């Protein structure tokens, strides 16, 4: 009986612990394979989460910003991105961000806009 109780408790805890906390998503993420700056910044503004996508316009050499509302639940960040598909989710208890199947890696816990 004791082993059964411990097994149930461990299973319960592992289900709860399998979700990355929201803090793991907050920060600056950079597209892994590119020479052109392409970032997603997830930050908290008051009670809300927001995702910002920064890309450099090759023609004008200016960085553009697009803002998307975001929310956190069950280890995933849901980003309302319209035609832009951004997924931020917990995979094996690790926060990941992808956009149209391109992976981003977290480069900073800072949520400032990238300057380059």
């Amino acid at each position: 009986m004791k082993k059964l109780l411990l097994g149930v408790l461990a299973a319960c805890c592992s289900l709860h612990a399998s979700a990355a906390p929201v803090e793991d998503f907050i920060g600056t993420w950079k597209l892994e394979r590119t020479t052109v700056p392409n970032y997603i910044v997830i930050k908290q503004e008051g009670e809300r989460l927001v995702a910002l996508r920064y890309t450099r316009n090759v023609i004008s050499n200016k960085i553009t910003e697009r803002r998307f509302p975001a929310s956190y639940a069950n280890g995933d960040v849901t980003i309302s991105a319209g035609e832009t598909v951004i997924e931020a989710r917990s995979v094996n208890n690790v926060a990941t961000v992808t956009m149209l199947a391109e992976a981003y890696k977290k480069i900073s816990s800072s949520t400032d806009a990238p300057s380059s």
Side-chain angles (χ1 to χ4, degrees), residues 44-73:
Q44 194 146 9
E45 291 183 344
E47 297 294 315
R48 299 178 16 209
L49 280 179
V50 64
L52 303 113
R53 179 177 172 223
Y54 295 94
T55 55
R56 173 167 285 159
N57 183 315
V58 179
I59 297 170
S60 68
N61 203 31
K62 292 184 180 178
I63 294 177
T64 60
E65 173 191 288
R66 293 190 63 197
R67 297 175 63 89
F68 306 103
S71 60
Y72 172 83

Side-chain angles (χ1 to χ4, degrees), residues 11-20 93:
C12 217
C13 291
S14 68
L15 284 175
H16 181 65
S18 67
N93 201 26

Side-chain angles (χ1 to χ4, degrees), residues 13-101:
C13 291
S14 68
L15 284 175
H16 181 65
S18 67
V22 69
E23 291 81 12
D24 288 0
F25 293 97
I26 293 174
T28 303
W29 299 75
K30 184 181 186 304
L31 189 62
E32 287 185 349
R33 295 185 206 106
T34 186
T35 55
V36 178
N38 191 328
Y39 298 90
I40 293 174
V41 174
I42 299 174
K43 64 182 181 176
Q44 194 146 9
E45 291 183 344
E47 297 294 315
R48 299 178 16 209
L49 280 179
V50 64
L52 303 113
R53 179 177 172 223
Y54 295 94
T55 55
R56 173 167 285 159
N57 183 315
V58 179
I59 297 170
S60 68
N61 203 31
K62 292 184 180 178
I63 294 177
T64 60
E65 173 191 288
R66 293 190 63 197
R67 297 175 63 89
F68 306 103
S71 60
Y72 172 83
N74 302 321
D76 293 341
V77 174
T78 302
I79 299 169
S80 302
E83 76 281 359
T84 303
V85 179
I86 300 170
E87 292 183 346
R89 61 183 46 185
S90 178
V91 177
N92 296 327
N93 201 26
V94 175
T96 64
V97 173
T98 59
M99 185 180 72
L100 299 175

Side-chain angles (χ1 to χ4, degrees), residues 98-109:
T98 59
M99 185 180 72
L100 299 175
E102 295 183 298
Y104 285 73
K105 65 179 177 179
K106 192 169 186 181
I107 60 167
S108 170
S109 59

